[in-house]
Amino acid sequence: MSRQNQIFCDAIVESLTFLESDVPPRWTGHLQLPGEPRPIDILIFNLQGEFQAIRALCPHEGADLTHCPLLNENSLVCPAHSRRIDLKVSEFRVKELDGQFLVSLDTTSLLETAENRAGIASGRENLETVLQLRKEIDKLRQANLNQEKQIRVITQSMDVMLCESEQQKGKLKEKVLQQQALSRFVERVMDTIDDLLIVIDTEGRICRLNTTVEIELGFTGDELLGACIDELLPPLEQQRLAGQLPGLPWPIRSVLLETVRLNGYYAGEHELLGKNRGNAKSFYYLKSSLLHSEQGKLEGAVVTALNITEFKKREIQLQLSANVFENSSEAIFITDPQGTIMDVNAAFCSITGYERSEVLGQNPRILKSNLHDASFYKHLWRSLLDEGSWKGEVWDRRKNGEFCPMLLSINAVTDKRGQLTHYVAVSTDISHQKQAELELKQLAYYDVLTSLPNRSLFKNRFEHEINLAERNNTRVALFFLDLDHFKNINDTLGHLAGDSLLQIIATRIQHCLRKTDTVARMGGDEFTIILPGLTGISDATELARKLIDATTKPVQLKDHTIFAGVSIGIAIFPDNGNDFHTLTKHADTAMYASKAKGRGMFHYYEAGMNEAAHQRLLLENALRLAIEQEEFQLYYQPKADCNLSRITGAEALIRWIRPGFGIIPPDHFIAIAEETALIIPLGKWVLKTACLQANVWANQLAKFRIAINLSPLQLLADDFIAVLDCILTETHTNPEWIELEITEGVIMHDIKKATDRLHQIRERGIQIAMDDFGTGYSSLSYLQKLPIHSLKIDRSFIEAYIDDFSSNEAAFIKTIVTLGHVLNMTVVAEGIETESQLALLQSYGCNEIQGYYLSPPLPADEFQRRWIDHGIVGSIKK
């Protein structure tokens, strides 16, 4: 039969047994072959991941190959005649499926073998003759006779064996009874042990335990028997034990058993998992040793576990107490009943300066400062003896001799019988607390920033001076000082710069005072001064002038030169009031009058000032509402070239159209807007409105430009450039159509920041004009650095001119015009009202003029009709 006709079928290996102890491990099983009356025994090996199978009996003489060693990893040697059997040359093909082995059989080959055997048997029967049959019959007869003899012998032997078996059975039964009695005895002994006792087999499975295990852990015996003992350990403890084991050549079924096997003995603390314990943890001290048979064969291990949960809690508590004692920030020392120091903590050594070895066995008197009298210590000991405790402040002496204030607490410690065993003292170094008390006292009466008296101390001193003045029939002056433009400095340079300025001003004020005078900081940028012992007010006037001179000098704050100044209000006792609150209020009112009249000056309180202050407050509130409701309108005053040939532009001037009051001029509300920072939203409205108007007129007159005034707060605000860009974009305004006017005072607030800001404006194509030139702190050094296009001569210089070309006023005007031309700037003269003023400026070559000679400021519609529609100045003037 050809190989092409071969037919294979899979047969399952039955009665499969794994022989782990043989080398290498193997499987035995039964395999039923087709055509065979009985199954055959086979062996299965795993050779490098492939399964090979051979017959379990040697085909030569039927020797058993089950436990034969493997040579060269692929051959067995028959123990009977040393025949080598190659595993790779096998008639069986083996594969594993779901834990079973399947053998692929060539049924064609097996059937051929069966047919051959049948044919041979048939041939022999045909060849044998009747003689062979006779021989067989004779042999059978003889065999029967022999069998009868054997049966008789076997019967006799069986009788003897049955008799001996009965005797052995009785002895065995007696032995079993003894073993059962011994087992019950051992169980009773195990159950009397308070510790947990567990016996495990060679695979770590629990095979015996005492009732203490069930009681402690909450499991029944049936639940634990057969389970691995590792299941009683938390996973982390299993991992810890496993991590301590070396690499082993066999699979690990129990880390606890392998730990015991590795060392022969094991002891350690472990948590054991209970059945119904919840989150409560129980700790046990485990001890384990190996268990061997009488022949020395390993049978497992015996594990005992002592419940040490309470001991662990006490240990933790003691450790915690020790840590608290040692790591406490308070000094702790313990003495015996006689006061001998037994122990101290680290804080005690740190605070007192003594080493631990220096104080053990000493009396606490080594800390005595001698600042307390005998009655102090008598009271202390009386309290300890009567009440068992004492607490209070005590001055001790450190090792270096320093006095140290301590908050001391001493408590008596007694045993269960109430007998005194120790004293425990806890002391806290309160040096910092004492220092803090002094500092709090300083804070309570002195200003932190300037170290000047604060409002509270100032009030006390002022009332004291009032009492002296009443007795001595003298006067007391109360000064109220407020820095000018301090908010601008704070907002533009930051609070640190503002604080530095306040400190410098405070020092300058102190240098102006007598020793008997008092200066205080009331808060913010407000200072008050007490000037006692006056008979008149000349001393007060002189001091006010000295203060203004001292505070108006420039202040250098890093890279910034600041020009500050103060406004001063003065109230006199008893002329303006008889108490602190009244005089303070009146001095404050007088100070606001100074600000309203131009700042940098002083005023005495007058009776009508309260009403003025009230009116100012009403005006401020009305201004806030006006900004919300946009009660404003822009007026425009034209500018023309000096020859009056054309209109060059206009200056936008704000007017407040207040309902019920009519038009409010700018000088009535701009100062208030700047003081309250309302100038920011107001200035934004002006800028946007003027840009919208510039879009209209610039398209009608070539080179027409609208000038817009900027306040210091606007220019120096952090977001001004962003606001400017937004308005230009929103109104679609060409930057060349507008001009921004600034004053020298704006620049002097912060020269560096203002210069940078002006360059940013110029980069956008906007022209810049310096307004009121000559009235401030004009300086060629910074004037050359600023991106200025125009100088506007202040109207005060034009008004001072009285038709005399040779006068000093004319010369001054000529100087400004010449300076502007030298600096390549356009010069504009404000306040032109007469022909002679115009003629003077024309003779000096002034570029542009502005003033009532041309026109007063006009609303937009009237300006349109009068100037934009015509544009030629000369014809209109005629």
Side-chain angles (χ1 to χ4, degrees), residues 828-854:
V828 181
E830 293 184 298
I832 303 301
E833 297 183 0
T834 66
E835 286 282 355
S836 62
Q837 293 170 345
L838 176 60
L840 177 71
L841 292 165
Q842 287 175 335
S843 67
Y844 293 155
C846 182
N847 301 102
E848 297 179 0
I849 65 167
Q850 176 184 342
Y852 275 74
Y853 180 79
L854 286 176

PDB file of all heavy atoms in Angstrom, residues 828-854:
ATOM      1  N   VAL A 828       4.323 127.936  17.948  1.00  0.00           N
ATOM      2  CA  VAL A 828       2.928 128.376  17.967  1.00  0.00           C
ATOM      3  C   VAL A 828       2.750 129.291  19.165  1.00  0.00           C
ATOM      4  O   VAL A 828       3.144 128.945  20.285  1.00  0.00           O
ATOM      5  CB  VAL A 828       1.956 127.178  18.057  1.00  0.00           C
ATOM      6  CG1 VAL A 828       0.515 127.663  18.039  1.00  0.00           C
ATOM      7  CG2 VAL A 828       2.212 126.181  16.936  1.00  0.00           C
ATOM      8  N   ALA A 829       2.127 130.448  18.945  1.00  0.00           N
ATOM      9  CA  ALA A 829       1.873 131.394  20.029  1.00  0.00           C
ATOM     10  C   ALA A 829       0.398 131.313  20.418  1.00  0.00           C
ATOM     11  O   ALA A 829      -0.494 131.432  19.572  1.00  0.00           O
ATOM     12  CB  ALA A 829       2.228 132.808  19.593  1.00  0.00           C
ATOM     13  N   GLU A 830       0.136 131.103  21.721  1.00  0.00           N
ATOM     14  CA  GLU A 830      -1.236 131.047  22.225  1.00  0.00           C
ATOM     15  C   GLU A 830      -1.644 132.417  22.769  1.00  0.00           C
ATOM     16  O   GLU A 830      -0.798 133.234  23.166  1.00  0.00           O
ATOM     17  CB  GLU A 830      -1.342 130.014  23.352  1.00  0.00           C
ATOM     18  CG  GLU A 830      -1.151 128.566  22.929  1.00  0.00           C
ATOM     19  CD  GLU A 830      -1.364 127.611  24.095  1.00  0.00           C
ATOM     20  OE1 GLU A 830      -0.599 127.693  25.082  1.00  0.00           O
ATOM     21  OE2 GLU A 830      -2.295 126.800  24.009  1.00  0.00           O
ATOM     22  N   GLY A 831      -2.958 132.614  22.831  1.00  0.00           N
ATOM     23  CA  GLY A 831      -3.476 133.798  23.495  1.00  0.00           C
ATOM     24  C   GLY A 831      -3.329 135.078  22.696  1.00  0.00           C
ATOM     25  O   GLY A 831      -3.276 136.174  23.282  1.00  0.00           O
ATOM     26  N   ILE A 832      -3.242 135.007  21.375  1.00  0.00           N
ATOM     27  CA  ILE A 832      -3.140 136.220  20.541  1.00  0.00           C
ATOM     28  C   ILE A 832      -4.508 136.898  20.510  1.00  0.00           C
ATOM     29  O   ILE A 832      -5.498 136.302  20.059  1.00  0.00           O
ATOM     30  CB  ILE A 832      -2.681 135.858  19.117  1.00  0.00           C
ATOM     31  CG1 ILE A 832      -1.353 135.108  19.157  1.00  0.00           C
ATOM     32  CG2 ILE A 832      -2.578 137.126  18.268  1.00  0.00           C
ATOM     33  CD1 ILE A 832      -0.251 135.883  19.807  1.00  0.00           C
ATOM     34  N   GLU A 833      -4.516 138.163  20.969  1.00  0.00           N
ATOM     35  CA  GLU A 833      -5.787 138.881  21.036  1.00  0.00           C
ATOM     36  C   GLU A 833      -5.745 140.254  20.337  1.00  0.00           C
ATOM     37  O   GLU A 833      -6.798 140.849  20.082  1.00  0.00           O
ATOM     38  CB  GLU A 833      -6.207 139.072  22.501  1.00  0.00           C
ATOM     39  CG  GLU A 833      -6.449 137.754  23.213  1.00  0.00           C
ATOM     40  CD  GLU A 833      -6.931 137.961  24.648  1.00  0.00           C
ATOM     41  OE1 GLU A 833      -7.066 139.143  25.058  1.00  0.00           O
ATOM     42  OE2 GLU A 833      -7.175 136.954  25.344  1.00  0.00           O
ATOM     43  N   THR A 834      -4.532 140.781  20.009  1.00  0.00           N
ATOM     44  CA  THR A 834      -4.441 142.134  19.440  1.00  0.00           C
ATOM     45  C   THR A 834      -3.567 142.130  18.197  1.00  0.00           C
ATOM     46  O   THR A 834      -2.764 141.215  17.968  1.00  0.00           O
ATOM     47  CB  THR A 834      -3.850 143.098  20.475  1.00  0.00           C
ATOM     48  OG1 THR A 834      -2.497 142.724  20.734  1.00  0.00           O
ATOM     49  CG2 THR A 834      -4.640 143.087  21.769  1.00  0.00           C
ATOM     50  N   GLU A 835      -3.709 143.227  17.432  1.00  0.00           N
ATOM     51  CA  GLU A 835      -2.907 143.412  16.225  1.00  0.00           C
ATOM     52  C   GLU A 835      -1.429 143.552  16.570  1.00  0.00           C
ATOM     53  O   GLU A 835      -0.560 143.033  15.881  1.00  0.00           O
ATOM     54  CB  GLU A 835      -3.383 144.665  15.477  1.00  0.00           C
ATOM     55  CG  GLU A 835      -4.709 144.505  14.755  1.00  0.00           C
ATOM     56  CD  GLU A 835      -4.586 143.741  13.447  1.00  0.00           C
ATOM     57  OE1 GLU A 835      -3.448 143.404  13.052  1.00  0.00           O
ATOM     58  OE2 GLU A 835      -5.622 143.464  12.833  1.00  0.00           O
ATOM     59  N   SER A 836      -1.137 144.270  17.659  1.00  0.00           N
ATOM     60  CA  SER A 836       0.270 144.480  18.034  1.00  0.00           C
ATOM     61  C   SER A 836       0.940 143.169  18.421  1.00  0.00           C
ATOM     62  O   SER A 836       2.117 142.948  18.111  1.00  0.00           O
ATOM     63  CB  SER A 836       0.360 145.481  19.192  1.00  0.00           C
ATOM     64  OG  SER A 836      -0.305 144.979  20.334  1.00  0.00           O
ATOM     65  N   GLN A 837       0.211 142.277  19.125  1.00  0.00           N
ATOM     66  CA  GLN A 837       0.767 140.966  19.469  1.00  0.00           C
ATOM     67  C   GLN A 837       1.068 140.165  18.211  1.00  0.00           C
ATOM     68  O   GLN A 837       2.122 139.524  18.075  1.00  0.00           O
ATOM     69  CB  GLN A 837      -0.202 140.191  20.374  1.00  0.00           C
ATOM     70  CG  GLN A 837      -0.374 140.799  21.753  1.00  0.00           C
ATOM     71  CD  GLN A 837      -1.507 140.158  22.531  1.00  0.00           C
ATOM     72  OE1 GLN A 837      -2.339 139.453  21.943  1.00  0.00           O
ATOM     73  NE2 GLN A 837      -1.559 140.426  23.827  1.00  0.00           N
ATOM     74  N   LEU A 838       0.124 140.228  17.238  1.00  0.00           N
ATOM     75  CA  LEU A 838       0.330 139.524  15.973  1.00  0.00           C
ATOM     76  C   LEU A 838       1.520 140.091  15.225  1.00  0.00           C
ATOM     77  O   LEU A 838       2.355 139.348  14.670  1.00  0.00           O
ATOM     78  CB  LEU A 838      -0.937 139.625  15.110  1.00  0.00           C
ATOM     79  CG  LEU A 838      -0.847 139.017  13.708  1.00  0.00           C
ATOM     80  CD1 LEU A 838      -0.541 137.521  13.792  1.00  0.00           C
ATOM     81  CD2 LEU A 838      -2.138 139.253  12.939  1.00  0.00           C
ATOM     82  N   ALA A 839       1.642 141.424  15.181  1.00  0.00           N
ATOM     83  CA  ALA A 839       2.740 142.063  14.473  1.00  0.00           C
ATOM     84  C   ALA A 839       4.083 141.672  15.074  1.00  0.00           C
ATOM     85  O   ALA A 839       5.071 141.437  14.352  1.00  0.00           O
ATOM     86  CB  ALA A 839       2.563 143.585  14.506  1.00  0.00           C
ATOM     87  N   LEU A 840       4.155 141.583  16.431  1.00  0.00           N
ATOM     88  CA  LEU A 840       5.403 141.192  17.084  1.00  0.00           C
ATOM     89  C   LEU A 840       5.817 139.794  16.654  1.00  0.00           C
ATOM     90  O   LEU A 840       6.972 139.533  16.306  1.00  0.00           O
ATOM     91  CB  LEU A 840       5.222 141.269  18.606  1.00  0.00           C
ATOM     92  CG  LEU A 840       6.433 140.813  19.435  1.00  0.00           C
ATOM     93  CD1 LEU A 840       7.575 141.824  19.317  1.00  0.00           C
ATOM     94  CD2 LEU A 840       6.040 140.612  20.906  1.00  0.00           C
ATOM     95  N   LEU A 841       4.883 138.889  16.674  1.00  0.00           N
ATOM     96  CA  LEU A 841       5.199 137.502  16.333  1.00  0.00           C
ATOM     97  C   LEU A 841       5.538 137.348  14.858  1.00  0.00           C
ATOM     98  O   LEU A 841       6.389 136.541  14.489  1.00  0.00           O
ATOM     99  CB  LEU A 841       4.009 136.609  16.717  1.00  0.00           C
ATOM    100  CG  LEU A 841       3.783 136.499  18.231  1.00  0.00           C
ATOM    101  CD1 LEU A 841       2.420 135.915  18.519  1.00  0.00           C
ATOM    102  CD2 LEU A 841       4.866 135.650  18.868  1.00  0.00           C
ATOM    103  N   GLN A 842       4.867 138.142  14.004  1.00  0.00           N
ATOM    104  CA  GLN A 842       5.207 138.088  12.579  1.00  0.00           C
ATOM    105  C   GLN A 842       6.623 138.584  12.351  1.00  0.00           C
ATOM    106  O   GLN A 842       7.362 138.038  11.526  1.00  0.00           O
ATOM    107  CB  GLN A 842       4.209 138.940  11.780  1.00  0.00           C
ATOM    108  CG  GLN A 842       2.825 138.302  11.664  1.00  0.00           C
ATOM    109  CD  GLN A 842       1.824 139.221  10.974  1.00  0.00           C
ATOM    110  OE1 GLN A 842       1.993 140.456  10.990  1.00  0.00           O
ATOM    111  NE2 GLN A 842       0.779 138.632  10.403  1.00  0.00           N
ATOM    112  N   SER A 843       7.038 139.579  13.113  1.00  0.00           N
ATOM    113  CA  SER A 843       8.387 140.127  12.951  1.00  0.00           C
ATOM    114  C   SER A 843       9.456 139.130  13.391  1.00  0.00           C
ATOM    115  O   SER A 843      10.574 139.163  12.879  1.00  0.00           O
ATOM    116  CB  SER A 843       8.516 141.429  13.743  1.00  0.00           C
ATOM    117  OG  SER A 843       8.431 141.175  15.130  1.00  0.00           O
ATOM    118  N   TYR A 844       9.116 138.277  14.353  1.00  0.00           N
ATOM    119  CA  TYR A 844      10.075 137.275  14.839  1.00  0.00           C
ATOM    120  C   TYR A 844      10.036 135.979  14.024  1.00  0.00           C
ATOM    121  O   TYR A 844      10.810 135.065  14.265  1.00  0.00           O
ATOM    122  CB  TYR A 844       9.810 136.947  16.318  1.00  0.00           C
ATOM    123  CG  TYR A 844      10.088 138.080  17.263  1.00  0.00           C
ATOM    124  CD1 TYR A 844       9.449 138.151  18.500  1.00  0.00           C
ATOM    125  CD2 TYR A 844      11.012 139.082  16.944  1.00  0.00           C
ATOM    126  CE1 TYR A 844       9.698 139.189  19.385  1.00  0.00           C
ATOM    127  CE2 TYR A 844      11.263 140.128  17.816  1.00  0.00           C
ATOM    128  CZ  TYR A 844      10.599 140.169  19.033  1.00  0.00           C
ATOM    129  OH  TYR A 844      10.859 141.201  19.895  1.00  0.00           O
ATOM    130  N   GLY A 845       9.103 135.880  13.098  1.00  0.00           N
ATOM    131  CA  GLY A 845       9.024 134.682  12.259  1.00  0.00           C
ATOM    132  C   GLY A 845       8.304 133.524  12.920  1.00  0.00           C
ATOM    133  O   GLY A 845       8.558 132.357  12.593  1.00  0.00           O
ATOM    134  N   CYS A 846       7.414 133.820  13.882  1.00  0.00           N
ATOM    135  CA  CYS A 846       6.620 132.752  14.516  1.00  0.00           C
ATOM    136  C   CYS A 846       5.798 132.043  13.439  1.00  0.00           C
ATOM    137  O   CYS A 846       5.302 132.681  12.502  1.00  0.00           O
ATOM    138  CB  CYS A 846       5.714 133.365  15.581  1.00  0.00           C
ATOM    139  SG  CYS A 846       4.727 132.139  16.470  1.00  0.00           S
ATOM    140  N   ASN A 847       5.670 130.746  13.572  1.00  0.00           N
ATOM    141  CA  ASN A 847       5.022 129.954  12.510  1.00  0.00           C
ATOM    142  C   ASN A 847       3.513 130.034  12.562  1.00  0.00           C
ATOM    143  O   ASN A 847       2.852 130.202  11.529  1.00  0.00           O
ATOM    144  CB  ASN A 847       5.460 128.496  12.617  1.00  0.00           C
ATOM    145  CG  ASN A 847       6.956 128.333  12.507  1.00  0.00           C
ATOM    146  OD1 ASN A 847       7.630 128.145  13.507  1.00  0.00           O
ATOM    147  ND2 ASN A 847       7.491 128.425  11.284  1.00  0.00           N
ATOM    148  N   GLU A 848       2.897 129.844  13.752  1.00  0.00           N
ATOM    149  CA  GLU A 848       1.449 129.780  13.842  1.00  0.00           C
ATOM    150  C   GLU A 848       0.978 130.551  15.062  1.00  0.00           C
ATOM    151  O   GLU A 848       1.716 130.737  16.037  1.00  0.00           O
ATOM    152  CB  GLU A 848       0.967 128.322  13.933  1.00  0.00           C
ATOM    153  CG  GLU A 848       1.288 127.487  12.714  1.00  0.00           C
ATOM    154  CD  GLU A 848       0.821 126.053  12.859  1.00  0.00           C
ATOM    155  OE1 GLU A 848       0.240 125.706  13.911  1.00  0.00           O
ATOM    156  OE2 GLU A 848       1.023 125.257  11.915  1.00  0.00           O
ATOM    157  N   ILE A 849      -0.317 130.970  14.999  1.00  0.00           N
ATOM    158  CA  ILE A 849      -0.917 131.662  16.132  1.00  0.00           C
ATOM    159  C   ILE A 849      -2.246 131.019  16.486  1.00  0.00           C
ATOM    160  O   ILE A 849      -2.864 130.320  15.667  1.00  0.00           O
ATOM    161  CB  ILE A 849      -1.139 133.163  15.821  1.00  0.00           C
ATOM    162  CG1 ILE A 849      -2.163 133.325  14.688  1.00  0.00           C
ATOM    163  CG2 ILE A 849       0.180 133.855  15.528  1.00  0.00           C
ATOM    164  CD1 ILE A 849      -2.664 134.751  14.544  1.00  0.00           C
ATOM    165  N   GLN A 850      -2.666 131.271  17.740  1.00  0.00           N
ATOM    166  CA  GLN A 850      -3.941 130.766  18.228  1.00  0.00           C
ATOM    167  C   GLN A 850      -4.439 131.734  19.286  1.00  0.00           C
ATOM    168  O   GLN A 850      -3.669 132.221  20.107  1.00  0.00           O
ATOM    169  CB  GLN A 850      -3.760 129.354  18.826  1.00  0.00           C
ATOM    170  CG  GLN A 850      -5.018 128.763  19.444  1.00  0.00           C
ATOM    171  CD  GLN A 850      -4.739 127.403  20.096  1.00  0.00           C
ATOM    172  OE1 GLN A 850      -3.731 126.776  19.810  1.00  0.00           O
ATOM    173  NE2 GLN A 850      -5.636 126.988  20.959  1.00  0.00           N
ATOM    174  N   GLY A 851      -5.720 132.062  19.270  1.00  0.00           N
ATOM    175  CA  GLY A 851      -6.239 132.963  20.287  1.00  0.00           C
ATOM    176  C   GLY A 851      -7.525 133.618  19.850  1.00  0.00           C
ATOM    177  O   GLY A 851      -8.043 133.394  18.744  1.00  0.00           O
ATOM    178  N   TYR A 852      -8.027 134.472  20.703  1.00  0.00           N
ATOM    179  CA  TYR A 852      -9.300 135.131  20.440  1.00  0.00           C
ATOM    180  C   TYR A 852      -9.205 136.133  19.278  1.00  0.00           C
ATOM    181  O   TYR A 852     -10.219 136.594  18.756  1.00  0.00           O
ATOM    182  CB  TYR A 852      -9.800 135.836  21.705  1.00  0.00           C
ATOM    183  CG  TYR A 852     -10.572 134.916  22.628  1.00  0.00           C
ATOM    184  CD1 TYR A 852      -9.905 133.957  23.385  1.00  0.00           C
ATOM    185  CD2 TYR A 852     -11.952 134.997  22.723  1.00  0.00           C
ATOM    186  CE1 TYR A 852     -10.588 133.116  24.219  1.00  0.00           C
ATOM    187  CE2 TYR A 852     -12.653 134.148  23.560  1.00  0.00           C
ATOM    188  CZ  TYR A 852     -11.965 133.203  24.309  1.00  0.00           C
ATOM    189  OH  TYR A 852     -12.665 132.357  25.135  1.00  0.00           O
ATOM    190  N   TYR A 853      -7.965 136.524  18.892  1.00  0.00           N
ATOM    191  CA  TYR A 853      -7.821 137.385  17.731  1.00  0.00           C
ATOM    192  C   TYR A 853      -8.429 136.698  16.510  1.00  0.00           C
ATOM    193  O   TYR A 853      -9.026 137.351  15.645  1.00  0.00           O
ATOM    194  CB  TYR A 853      -6.352 137.719  17.507  1.00  0.00           C
ATOM    195  CG  TYR A 853      -6.126 138.619  16.300  1.00  0.00           C
ATOM    196  CD1 TYR A 853      -6.351 139.989  16.387  1.00  0.00           C
ATOM    197  CD2 TYR A 853      -5.705 138.091  15.071  1.00  0.00           C
ATOM    198  CE1 TYR A 853      -6.157 140.813  15.280  1.00  0.00           C
ATOM    199  CE2 TYR A 853      -5.511 138.903  13.975  1.00  0.00           C
ATOM    200  CZ  TYR A 853      -5.745 140.275  14.074  1.00  0.00           C
ATOM    201  OH  TYR A 853      -5.562 141.075  12.968  1.00  0.00           O
ATOM    202  N   LEU A 854      -8.218 135.359  16.456  1.00  0.00           N
ATOM    203  CA  LEU A 854      -8.833 134.582  15.378  1.00  0.00           C
ATOM    204  C   LEU A 854     -10.279 134.257  15.728  1.00  0.00           C
ATOM    205  O   LEU A 854     -11.204 134.578  14.991  1.00  0.00           O
ATOM    206  CB  LEU A 854      -8.068 133.274  15.151  1.00  0.00           C
ATOM    207  CG  LEU A 854      -6.710 133.370  14.459  1.00  0.00           C
ATOM    208  CD1 LEU A 854      -6.067 131.996  14.404  1.00  0.00           C
ATOM    209  CD2 LEU A 854      -6.870 133.924  13.050  1.00  0.00           C
TER     210      LEU A 854
END
